[in-house]
Amino acid sequence: MNRHTPHNEALWDKQTPETFVLSYDRIFHDSQEAIMITDCHSRIVSVNPAFKSITGYDESEVIGRTPSMLKSHYQDPEFYVNMWASIHKDGTWRGEIWNRRKNGEIYPEWLSISSVKDDNGVLINYVGMFSDITLRKNTISKLQLHAQVFSNASDGIMITDKQLKILSVNQAFTTMTGYTEREAAGHTPRLLHSGLQNQYFYIKMWERIHTTGFWEGEIWNKRKNGELYPEWLSITTMRDDKGSITNYIGMFTDITERKLTEEHLKYLAHYDKLTDLPNRTLLSELVNEAITRTLERKRKLAVFFIDLDRFKMVNDSLGHNVGDKLLQQVAKRLSSVVRKDDIVSRLGGDEFIIVLQDLQEPEEAILIANQLISSIKKPFSVEDNELYINASIGICLYPKHGEDFETLLKHADLAMYQAKIQNGGYQFFNESISSTFLRKLDLENELRWAIAKNQFTLHYQPQVSSETGHMKGMEALIRWNHPTLGPVSPGEFIPIAEETGIIMDIGKWVLKEVCLQLNRWLSASFIVPSIAVNLSARQFLAPDLASSIHDIVYQTCCNPQHIVIEITESSSMHDIESVLPILHELKSFGFQIAIDDFGKGYSALGYIKQFPIDILKIDKSFVQELTSDSKSAVLTKAIIDMSHGMDLRVIAEGVETLEQLDFLRTMNCDMIQGYFIDPALPAEQLAMRYLNEVEPISCQQSNLAAPSDHP
């Protein structure tokens, strides 16, 4: 077919030949739609410029080929069967089809195919006209996506006109507010107003929207059922091409859960979960506010640092559940004693802080301190347990003892420790307490290096027969002579060593030094009795205590029978179930065991018979009262008789007078120890006064078993 020959009245109007040729040519070349003409066998005979624009093929590349060159294979064979069936039956087909450009890109097009016949009805051509509908498809896809997002968004969406009349809302809007689109349409957003925001809030909001076209923030609104709820709202202004406002879009999220979480986190950050009392963070803020008020009113303020005595024993013996309930009851009692404007706080553990405000005189603090102690001393009932505890209270005053929270808390803490040393009650802060604390801090720091710097020495106090005066044993006692602090009493540094755990290293050093000294004496041909070495309660916490003691003695080539392991009665009774196996293990190695300070106040005679002990030492408090208190004398005699009945040797410590010695002789006490005989002496002096020479004893003659014999 020649492109300039008319084909079909459906495509071209009847015109004069000249006019027709000009019209056809213009349509063919200027059409925005691609035109492709084939012969009756579907071979391409002509295409227009739009064909190249859409497919990428020049006319010379397609002439003689069939349209199948454009196939994308997105359509299955049946698609084409149905297409050609329609063309053969009706002479035309229209529809969407996916084809492939020259560069391989697949694109959607809207295609119409018409068959062209001559005047006799014979098929001579097919004319295909198509347009690229990629843009339209994308636009439709985007519109569908936007509609889907609008419908399925988790945020509530509300679209209004420029007069703020609601035009459309999504499902999330209905879910959050309770209003359907039909109920909300035509109303303004005032439909949701809660009344919690004042007029000024909305004025500022719309000032922002008119200035910037956007606003977001937290707002409280009202649901259809009347429930108020918080939401995070954003409002965006929509404008047309000319800049005129067309719509407002409001998007919001219900933040009820988030607000509850925030409130809970705020609570956790400021309150103690167990007692509902302010914690340290909130306490700091409250004290600073109280200080400001105290300054304005020219009054005084008192800070109480309260520590519960014997609480740990309750917690350890009855469990943390009982301990927690006890703390809750303590919190209620403390709160019931103080005044309405006073502050009660829990720092943690069994430590509480009370801040008394608006005081005129310190005596008011004393009155309340006594009331608090009296209240705490009353029995507590927890899970069928009647519990008794006490309290130690440190008190400091603002501004006398500090002008800020941290200083007041620190000084009250120091005063509390002083009160605890004095067995409870209350104690006001003073400078001597601060000096004591600084001294303790210095000692703790220096104590950590004392062994490495060879600042420790051992002295030995003799234990002699009450009948003959001959030495039957001795006790090794540690001494610390610091180069700048001077001599430091064991009564001062041993508690610090126990508190910090340094006692573990000190204990090992003492035992090793005793063994080395014992070897030196034996090598010098002295007859050496057994030497007592003290173990503290803290040392019993070490799981390898017995084996480490055995190893030290073995490595220094000493006989365990020369060593007496001395433990205080209080430490042995504290946790008898764990102490007993250790004592039995030490006994199996050949060590002698002694109970020190017996009768000091923790005696449990039912347990004594279970202990593998050899020696019992009567506490010096009994000895000192022998001549002045008949009850002490009776008790001392009973202890001695009981010990002898159990085949135990008895040592009376703290003997300072001849009268005390005479009493003990009449009671058949085995040995005595004390200043009346001698204080603790350096090793050289003790050897000169008490040790006699014999033939040397070699290490090979020792009875010490090899490590393999004592697993």
Side-chain angles (χ1 to χ4, degrees), residues 2 6 16 43 51 132 142 150 155 191 198 209 213 245 253 276 326 331 339-340 363 468 488 529 542 553 572 624 656:
N2 189 291
T16 62
R43 289 188 293 268
F51 179 93
D132 186 340
K142 286 181 180 178
F150 179 80
D155 287 355
L191 176 71
N198 57 29
I209 294 171
I245 295 174
T253 303
D276 288 329
L326 176 59
R339 301 161 304 177
K340 180 181 177 182
E363 287 72 22
T468 66
V488 184
V553 174
S572 63
Q624 290 170 351
E656 298 178 355

Side-chain angles (χ1 to χ4, degrees), residues 69-119:
M69 63 179 291
L70 302 176
K71 276 187 179 181
S72 66
H73 301 291
Y74 265 38
Q75 292 77 216
D76 57 27
E78 188 177 354
F79 174 88
Y80 294 101
V81 170
N82 293 332
M83 172 197 289
W84 286 105
S86 176
I87 294 170
H88 293 321
K89 178 183 177 184
D90 302 323
T92 185
W93 178 88
R94 291 183 179 85
E96 183 180 305
I97 189 171
W98 287 81
N99 274 341
R100 186 188 303 271
R101 307 187 207 275
K102 181 180 178 180
N103 63 7
E105 179 186 349
I106 295 173
Y107 68 99
E109 65 182 31
W110 184 260
L111 171 65
S112 68
I113 301 175
S114 300
S115 58
V116 180
K117 299 178 181 178
D118 63 13
D119 293 338

Side-chain angles (χ1 to χ4, degrees), residues 95 138 189 230 246 345 430 444 587 614:
N138 288 342
T246 59
S345 168
N430 56 60
E444 181 180 330
K587 186 70 174 176
D614 304 280

